[in-house]
Coordinates of all heavy atoms in Angstrom, one line a residue:
L1255 N 2.1 1.0 7.1 CA 3.3 1.8 6.8 C 3.3 2.4 5.4 O 3.6 3.5 5.2 CB 4.6 1.0 7.1 CG 4.9 0.8 8.6 CD1 6.0 -0.3 8.8 CD2 5.4 2.1 9.3
S1256 N 2.9 1.5 4.5 CA 2.9 1.9 3.1 C 1.9 3.0 2.8 O 2.2 4.0 2.1 CB 2.7 0.8 2.1 OG 1.4 0.1 2.4
N1257 N 0.7 2.9 3.3 CA -0.3 3.9 3.1 C 0.1 5.2 4.0 O -0.1 6.3 3.5 CB -1.7 3.4 3.5 CG -2.8 4.4 3.1 OD1 -3.1 4.6 2.0 ND2 -3.4 5.0 4.1
G1258 N 0.6 5.0 5.1 CA 1.0 6.1 5.9 C 2.1 7.0 5.3 O 2.1 8.2 5.3
V1259 N 3.0 6.3 4.6 CA 4.1 7.0 3.9 C 3.4 7.9 2.7 O 3.8 9.0 2.5 CB 5.1 6.0 3.3 CG1 5.9 6.7 2.2 CG2 6.0 5.5 4.4
M1260 N 2.4 7.3 2.0 CA 1.8 8.0 1.0 C 1.0 9.2 1.6 O 1.1 10.3 1.0 CB 0.8 7.1 0.2 CG 0.1 7.7 -0.9 SD -1.5 8.6 -0.4 CE -2.5 7.1 0.1
V1261 N 0.3 9.0 2.7 CA -0.4 10.1 3.3 C 0.6 11.2 3.7 O 0.3 12.4 3.5 CB -1.2 9.6 4.6 CG1 -1.7 10.8 5.4 CG2 -2.3 8.7 4.1
A1262 N 1.7 10.9 4.3 CA 2.7 11.9 4.7 C 3.2 12.7 3.5 O 3.4 13.9 3.6 CB 3.8 11.2 5.5
A1263 N 3.5 12.0 2.4 CA 4.0 12.7 1.3 C 3.0 13.7 0.7 O 3.3 14.8 0.4 CB 4.5 11.7 0.2
K1264 N 1.7 13.2 0.6 CA 0.7 14.1 0.2 C 0.5 15.3 1.1 O 0.1 16.4 0.6 CB -0.7 13.3 0.1 CG -0.8 12.4 -1.1 CD -2.2 11.7 -1.1 CE -2.4 10.9 -2.4 NZ -2.6 11.8 -3.5
S1265 N 0.9 15.1 2.3 CA 0.7 16.2 3.3 C 1.9 17.1 3.5 O 1.9 18.0 4.3 CB 0.4 15.5 4.7 OG -0.8 14.7 4.6
G1266 N 3.0 16.8 2.7 CA 4.1 17.7 2.7 C 5.3 17.3 3.5 O 6.3 18.0 3.6
Y1267 N 5.3 16.1 4.1 CA 6.3 15.6 5.0 C 7.3 14.8 4.2 O 7.0 13.9 3.4 CB 5.8 14.8 6.1 CG 5.0 15.6 7.1 CD1 3.6 15.8 6.9 CD2 5.6 16.2 8.2 CE1 2.8 16.5 7.7 CE2 4.8 17.0 9.0 CZ 3.4 17.2 8.8 OH 2.7 17.9 9.7
T1268 N 8.6 15.0 4.5 CA 9.7 14.2 3.9 C 10.3 13.2 4.9 O 11.1 12.4 4.5 CB 10.8 15.0 3.2 OG1 11.4 15.8 4.2 CG2 10.2 15.9 2.1
A1269 N 9.9 13.4 6.2 CA 10.5 12.5 7.2 C 9.5 12.4 8.4 O 8.9 13.4 8.7 CB 11.8 13.1 7.7
L1270 N 9.4 11.2 8.9 CA 8.6 10.9 10.1 C 9.3 10.2 11.1 O 10.2 9.3 10.9 CB 7.4 10.0 9.7 CG 6.4 10.5 8.6 CD1 5.3 9.5 8.3 CD2 5.8 11.9 9.0
G1271 N 9.0 10.5 12.4 CA 9.5 9.6 13.5 C 8.3 8.7 13.9 O 7.2 9.2 14.2
I1272 N 8.5 7.4 13.8 CA 7.5 6.4 13.9 C 7.5 5.9 15.4 O 8.5 5.3 15.8 CB 7.6 5.3 13.0 CG1 7.7 5.8 11.5 CG2 6.5 4.3 13.1 CD1 6.5 6.6 11.1
Q1273 N 6.4 6.1 16.1 CA 6.2 5.7 17.5 C 6.2 4.2 17.7 O 5.7 3.5 16.7 CB 5.0 6.4 18.1 CG 5.2 7.9 18.2 CD 6.3 8.3 19.2 OE1 6.5 7.6 20.2 NE2 6.9 9.5 19.0
P1274 N 6.5 3.7 18.8 CA 6.6 2.2 19.0 C 5.3 1.5 19.5 O 5.4 0.4 19.9 CB 7.7 2.1 20.1 CG 7.5 3.4 21.0 CD 7.1 4.4 20.0
N1275 N 4.2 2.2 19.4 CA 2.9 1.7 19.9 C 2.3 0.7 18.9 O 1.2 0.9 18.4 CB 1.9 2.8 20.3 CG 1.7 3.7 19.2 OD1 2.5 4.0 18.3 ND2 0.5 4.3 19.1
T1276 N 3.1 -0.4 18.6 CA 2.7 -1.4 17.7 C 2.6 -2.7 18.4 O 2.8 -2.8 19.7 CB 3.7 -1.5 16.5 OG1 5.0 -1.6 17.1 CG2 3.6 -0.3 15.6
N1277 N 2.3 -3.8 17.7 CA 2.3 -5.1 18.4 C 3.0 -6.1 17.5 O 2.5 -6.5 16.5 CB 0.8 -5.5 18.6 CG 0.7 -6.8 19.4 OD1 1.7 -7.2 20.1 ND2 -0.4 -7.5 19.3
P1278 N 4.2 -6.5 17.8 CA 4.9 -6.2 19.0 C 5.5 -4.7 19.0 O 5.6 -4.2 17.9 CB 6.1 -7.2 19.1 CG 6.3 -7.5 17.6 CD 5.0 -7.5 17.0
V1279 N 5.8 -4.2 20.2 CA 6.3 -2.8 20.2 C 7.7 -2.8 19.6 O 8.4 -3.8 19.5 CB 6.4 -2.3 21.7 CG1 5.0 -2.3 22.3 CG2 7.3 -3.1 22.5
T1280 N 8.1 -1.6 19.2 CA 9.4 -1.5 18.5 C 10.5 -1.4 19.7 O 10.7 -0.3 20.3 CB 9.5 -0.2 17.7 OG1 8.4 -0.2 16.8 CG2 10.8 0.0 17.0
Q1281 N 11.1 -2.5 19.9 CA 12.1 -2.6 21.0 C 13.3 -3.4 20.7 O 14.1 -3.7 21.6 CB 11.4 -3.1 22.3 CG 10.8 -4.5 22.2 CD 10.0 -4.9 23.4 OE1 9.8 -4.1 24.3 NE2 9.5 -6.1 23.4
T1282 N 13.5 -3.8 19.5 CA 14.7 -4.6 19.1 C 15.3 -4.0 17.8 O 14.6 -3.2 17.1 CB 14.3 -6.0 18.8 OG1 13.4 -6.1 17.7 CG2 13.6 -6.7 20.0
K1283 N 16.5 -4.4 17.5 CA 17.1 -4.0 16.3 C 16.4 -4.4 15.1 O 16.2 -3.7 14.1 CB 18.6 -4.5 16.3 CG 19.4 -4.1 15.0 CD 20.8 -4.5 15.2 CE 21.1 -6.0 15.4 NZ 22.5 -6.3 15.4
A1284 N 15.8 -5.6 15.1 CA 15.0 -6.1 14.0 C 13.8 -5.3 13.7 O 13.4 -5.1 12.6 CB 14.7 -7.6 14.3
A1285 N 13.1 -4.9 14.8 CA 11.9 -4.1 14.7 C 12.2 -2.7 14.1 O 11.5 -2.2 13.2 CB 11.2 -3.9 16.0
V1286 N 13.4 -2.1 14.5 CA 13.8 -0.9 13.9 C 14.1 -1.0 12.4 O 13.7 -0.2 11.6 CB 15.1 -0.3 14.6 CG1 15.7 0.8 13.9 CG2 14.7 0.1 16.1
N1287 N 14.8 -2.1 12.1 CA 15.1 -2.3 10.6 C 13.8 -2.6 9.8 O 13.7 -2.2 8.6 CB 16.0 -3.5 10.5 CG 17.4 -3.2 11.0 OD1 17.9 -2.1 10.9 ND2 18.2 -4.2 11.5
F1288 N 12.8 -3.2 10.4 CA 11.6 -3.5 9.7 C 10.9 -2.2 9.3 O 10.4 -2.0 8.1 CB 10.6 -4.3 10.6 CG 9.2 -4.4 10.1 CD1 8.9 -5.4 9.1 CD2 8.2 -3.6 10.5 CE1 7.6 -5.5 8.6 CE2 6.9 -3.7 10.0 CZ 6.6 -4.7 9.0
I1289 N 10.9 -1.2 10.2 CA 10.3 0.1 9.9 C 11.1 0.8 8.8 O 10.5 1.4 7.9 CB 10.1 0.9 11.2 CG1 9.1 0.3 12.1 CG2 9.7 2.3 10.8 CD1 9.0 0.9 13.5
K1290 N 12.4 0.9 9.0 CA 13.2 1.6 8.1 C 13.1 1.1 6.6 O 13.2 1.8 5.7 CB 14.7 1.5 8.5 CG 15.0 2.4 9.8 CD 16.4 2.2 10.2 CE 17.4 2.6 9.1 NZ 18.8 2.4 9.5
A1291 N 12.9 -0.2 6.5 CA 12.8 -0.9 5.2 C 11.6 -0.4 4.5 O 11.5 -0.6 3.3 CB 12.8 -2.4 5.4
K1292 N 10.6 0.1 5.2 CA 9.3 0.5 4.5 C 9.4 2.0 4.0 O 8.4 2.4 3.4 CB 8.2 0.4 5.5 CG 7.9 -1.0 6.0 CD 7.3 -1.9 5.0 CE 6.9 -3.2 5.6 NZ 6.1 -4.1 4.6
A1293 N 10.5 2.7 4.2 CA 10.6 4.0 3.8 C 10.6 4.1 2.2 O 11.2 3.2 1.6 CB 11.9 4.6 4.3
D1294 N 10.0 5.1 1.7 CA 9.9 5.2 0.2 C 9.9 6.7 -0.1 O 11.0 7.3 -0.2 CB 8.7 4.5 -0.3 CG 8.6 4.5 -1.9 OD1 9.7 4.8 -2.5 OD2 7.5 4.3 -2.4
L1295 N 8.8 7.3 -0.3 CA 8.7 8.7 -0.6 C 9.2 9.5 0.6 O 9.6 10.7 0.5 CB 7.3 9.1 -1.0 CG 6.7 8.5 -2.3 CD1 5.2 8.8 -2.4 CD2 7.4 9.0 -3.5
V1296 N 9.0 9.0 1.8 CA 9.3 9.6 3.0 C 10.3 8.8 3.8 O 10.2 7.6 3.9 CB 8.0 9.8 3.8 CG1 8.2 10.4 5.2 CG2 6.9 10.7 3.1
S1297 N 11.2 9.5 4.4 CA 12.2 8.8 5.3 C 11.5 8.5 6.6 O 10.8 9.3 7.2 CB 13.4 9.7 5.6 OG 14.1 10.0 4.3
L1298 N 11.7 7.2 7.1 CA 11.2 6.8 8.4 C 12.2 6.6 9.4 O 13.2 5.9 9.2 CB 10.4 5.5 8.1 CG 9.2 5.5 7.1 CD1 8.6 4.1 7.1 CD2 8.2 6.6 7.5

């Protein structure tokens, strides 16, 4: 997530929708909060 945020900022994006194809998949409130907490230069 941290490197992806940097890549997105370099590429001109200020916001991303992050897909749930992770392990575990994003299917709980805790998983959603985990991703949101990684936002920095780019909103997730």
Side-chain angles (χ1 to χ4, degrees):
L1255 287 164
S1256 60
N1257 191 67
V1259 164
M1260 182 272 293
V1261 169
K1264 283 180 173 290
S1265 304
Y1267 294 89
T1268 62
L1270 300 178
I1272 305 299
Q1273 291 293 329
N1275 54 328
T1276 51
N1277 186 20
V1279 300
T1280 306
Q1281 59 186 6
T1282 64
K1283 180 169 64 176
V1286 169
N1287 288 330
F1288 172 80
I1289 292 170
K1290 288 177 60 182
K1292 298 288 186 175
D1294 186 15
L1295 298 169
V1296 175
S1297 300
L1298 300 181

